[in-house]
Amino acid sequence: MGTGMNRAYQYGFCLLGLSWAGSVFSHELAPVEVTGAMAPLPVSASQGHVTGDELQVRPLLRAGEIMEAVPGMIATQHSGNGKANQYFFRGFNLDHGTDFRTEVNGMPVNLPSHGHGQGYTDVNFLIPEVIDTVEYRKGPYYASVGDFSSAGSVDISTRRSFSRQHVKVTGGEHDYYRGLVYGGKRSGDHKLVYAVEGQTFNGPWRDINEDVEKVNVLLGHEWHQGESHYATTLMVYDNKWNSADQIANRAVRSGQISRLGSLDEDAGGESHRYSLSFQWDKPGQRGSVYAIDYGLNLWSNFTYFLDDPVNGDEFEQIDDRAVVGGDVEYDYQWLTAFAPLTLHWGLEWRHDQIRDVGLFKSADRNRLGVVRRDRVAQTSAALFGSVVYPFAEKWRATLGMRYDHYYFDVRDRAGVNVNGFDLSANGGNAHDGITSPKFSLAWLPNEKAEYYLSAGYSFHSNDARGTTIEIDPVAGTPVDQVDPLVRSRGEELGARFYPNDQWQVTLAAWQLRLASELLFVGDAGNTEANRRSLRRGAEMNVVYRPTRSWEFDVELATTRARFQGDEPGEGRFIEGAPDRVMAFGAHYRGQRWFAGYRLRHFGPPPLDSFSDQESSSTTIQNIKLGMQWPRWEVALEVLNLADVEHNDIDYFYASRLAGEPAGGVEDRHFHPILPRTWRLSVEHQF
């Protein structure tokens, strides 16, 4: 599902409205400039899209699994159902999004210099029923995307119209309840859409109730003026929850807690995201502007009593910011004396005013003292462009270039912290720029095959606090500042095949180099520098549609991820990088019945740089069965169908339980997947 491009994308020459008659190459033809809207031309085999209608047949455990519409993506969770998901993709443990860029309705989702992790990507504000398309790009080959896009990127769009009004209620095990009202109205050239969602969930945990209180609101208005389209979208998200964080394996083995138990019952969080966006699409030009208000308070405890044997190691992370920005893109076409050329170029700007970002020691969700606290202003601007040159009847080359510039301003708010260190020296400012060339070669020998050679540079920004840091807030020792922008370089050889209308096959072999995996560690308030790295992989995606009602898809991806260069006492394995991802889906939609089945498998990722400690593989099956009538729909989802006791995620590090030695014990820590659970939905249209 979703691996094949829209057939309208396949032959860019037709999309450009150009004829390959011999007169095109005549030297007697004067250059002519033509402007107008056009569909984007693919620059790699591993880009595609999934429609919202396809997503409706998929069983979903959580909103974050929308991201699994990207072939090879795994979205898990190691905490409560309000924290951003943990993402795995192309040999990356992306944490919460560091090297995968996400946008919704033209708005960036990744949050730089975030209180919990660089590029923090929380998609809990998405409502699956109102998603229109999920367009994905793998690799760093696209001039229009910059920061956080080394592994890939995704653009998610919401629906612009509904023909009816919908009321949907869902109930399930572990006190899962969800209510949703959505729909729209059309009047002349104007369309209005709305959606209001409320969700609660306690979970299967033995020691806590998650007590999720999630509210989502979406209001959208689209209108037309001639050939121009305009849309504005208001989105409101608010959530509170308790967390069942990862737990120490030895605590389960000893019987201290159950597999569904907790070692700190105070973990949890609260978050909000309010946004307003405006988009336009007119002949030869499209763009967007947006404003976002965001906040997060997150309480966690991963080491229990290792650092503080009296109060425990609970800590609070905060992030409070406003984000404004926008972009504008232009398309131009020329019928030249040699060949038709297409130029796509644009500008992008973003400013994050982070009013408060910090790390605190806490107990029972009460602050005991500040570890680090700052005010950050971060501004970025980019200029990008690409030229499509069809130099032969079945060949085209795409040459792209992008320049990004960043400015960071950090002001310490802590002064002397809880450890007795004066952190005022950690303030300051920094700036950096980076140029990212891109190249793609496409050969389309016939209507049944496409071949691509793609290459490009990209980057991810580092946390602004790491660019000005002077003193480690935990140890009080001098530390080195990190590079503001970290370069990546990727190459890919791929192909798409369409043997007939029933089959779509995508193949890709790729590699990606990172100059350094420098990161600011929000959990500790300091910086961590890793070596340069190399990832290589191969992917195959197959879609088979034997009838109009049935669809089957298979996703296979294997990756080898290694650090480059020797470091004393360290191996070359990249922690948390799974070496394989496999998925299988079967979907049916008839006149009355519909059904969806998904199997996903990933792992086993190494848990240390020598791979002496290795996570087990995780396999989970979900199923959805439903019936529909003209005005009613009933659906049953069974999640973790086989009721396997696998883990969403594993870590290996030292922690200390009450009564253990002061130095702690190195152990595996894990977050279990939910046991088998069912959810029943009833929907009415009017």
Side-chain angles (χ1 to χ4, degrees), residues 523-537:
D523 295 346
N526 57 18
T527 57
E528 179 181 283
N530 285 324
R531 292 160 282 168
R532 56 191 175 89
S533 63
L534 171 63
R535 291 170 171 85
R536 288 176 172 155

Side-chain angles (χ1 to χ4, degrees), residues 370-398:
V370 60
V371 177
R372 179 163 189 183
R373 191 175 190 180
D374 298 274
R375 181 173 57 250
V376 177
Q378 178 168 327
T379 304
S380 63
L383 172 65
F384 58 88
S386 62
V387 176
V388 180
Y389 175 47
F391 58 89
E393 183 176 356
K394 298 179 179 180
W395 292 82
R396 71 169 179 267
T398 303

Side-chain angles (χ1 to χ4, degrees), residues 593-605:
W593 290 89
F594 62 92
Y597 168 82
R598 301 295 302 177
L599 178 148
R600 69 171 193 179
H601 168 91
F602 75 99

Side-chain angles (χ1 to χ4, degrees), residues 290-310:
Y290 55 83
I292 304 168
D293 185 85
Y294 170 86
L296 173 72
N297 291 76
L298 186 66
W299 293 272
S300 307
N301 186 349
F302 303 139
T303 53
Y304 319 123
F305 293 96
L306 181 64
D307 298 323
D308 189 338
V310 177

